[in-house]
Each structure stands twice: as structure tokens, then as C-alpha cells.
Amino acid sequence: RSAMDYGSGVLDSTSDMKSETQAGEMLQLLRSVPLADRLYERVLLRRAGVEADRDSFPQLLTTAELGLREHGTLENLFHYEKIAALAGLKRFSEAEAYADTCILHYPGSFLFADMKARVVNESGDHARALLLFEADVKRFPASAAAHAVLGNVALQEGRTAQAALCYSMALCV
């Protein structure tokens, strides 16, 4: 393979690696792809996924910021990973503020509205999170994910009837 196809080979070889014992090897391979590779952005996204699965939040934050510097077609996914990393590091106010910034830049995206609500929920403010998830359902009524997540939070808050309705709606949309 040529140097320009190295990233493709790494993506192929890491696609079958799933176990935790292979994660270290996979990260080593993914980190070996040079910045000039045509698939560098996709390699970074795979790397971010492995780091998120391992709860390696400091590394995930670094990888997300590297991905954001690329300004490529996957930029919105690196914003998502950065919010996840900040929340994983328990930097909830930063994660929520960053989610708000993303909502402004991607106003029609369920991804960032959902992520903000998840961050608020993870921070322990379940009542406010429930309101945010309810707003998500109103704003994105055709999103099965919005209904399902609201159902999860409603159940967590002891609202079983609301949770059952949300789960039913998730199956219908």
C-alpha cells in the first residue's frame, strides 16, 4: 500500500478488533496514521470511539480537539465526542456550555440537544434534564431516540406511566 492508503489499511485491520485486550493494539495502530493521510479524520473518529469505550476521557478530549482542527465532514461528530469527554471528566458546566454552542451552530440537530440533556442528567439535575428531554420530544417528535430517552429518564424519576407512553411512542415513530 502507498503511504496515502495507510489509513485505509489501519481502518480495515482495526475493524475486526473488538475485545478490551485488543484495544491497546488498536489505539497504537490508529495513532500511527500520519496527519497527511487522506483518511486521517476517519481514523481519529475510530480512535475516539475506542477511547470512549475505555472511558479514557482525557485522551478522548485530545482526540476530539485534533478532529475539530481538521474542519472536515465529520466535524459535528468530534463536537459530540468533546461534549462526551468533558462530561466523562465531570466538567459538567463546560460540557453543557459547549453543547449550547453546538446547538447554536447546528440548530436542527437532535444530536446536540440530546447530548445537553444527557449532560444535565449525568450531573445529577434530573428534574431539569427531564424538562430538556421533554423539549427534545416536542422539537423532534419523529425521533424514536428522543421518545426512548425521555422514557428512560421518566422511569428514573418514578414516572412509570409517562415512561410507558414514551416507550410506546418510540416504537410508533
Side-chain angles (χ1 to χ4, degrees), residues 40-112:
Y40 182 70
E41 187 183 32
R42 291 190 184 281
V43 168
L44 280 178
L45 192 58
R46 171 83 49 87
R47 186 170 129 187
V50 174
E51 291 164 346
D53 288 347
R54 296 180 85 192
D55 293 340
S56 300
F57 299 116
Q59 294 83 1
L60 176 59
L61 183 58
T62 299
T63 300
E65 289 173 344
L66 285 171
L68 288 168
R69 286 186 207 131
E70 292 300 300
H71 300 288
T73 58
L74 302 176
E75 185 172 10
N76 63 331
L77 298 176
F78 288 111
H79 287 300
Y80 177 87
E81 296 293 357
K82 183 172 180 176
I83 296 166
L86 290 168
L89 292 167
K90 309 291 186 223
R91 292 163 51 183
F92 298 117
S93 60
E94 284 178 74
E96 184 179 352
Y98 195 74
D100 283 335
T101 299
C102 292
I103 290 167
L104 288 174
H105 285 93
Y106 302 92
S109 174
F110 169 71
L111 181 70
F112 299 115

Side-chain angles (χ1 to χ4, degrees), residues 3-33:
M4 292 301 288
D5 288 334
Y6 182 69
S8 176
V10 168
L11 287 171
D12 287 345
S13 64
T14 58
S15 66
D16 295 330
M17 295 179 174
K18 301 290 183 211
S19 71
E20 177 62 32
T21 57
Q22 294 175 310
E25 180 185 348
M26 186 166 28
L27 284 171
Q28 186 177 3
L29 276 170
L30 292 167
R31 288 184 183 122
S32 71
V33 176

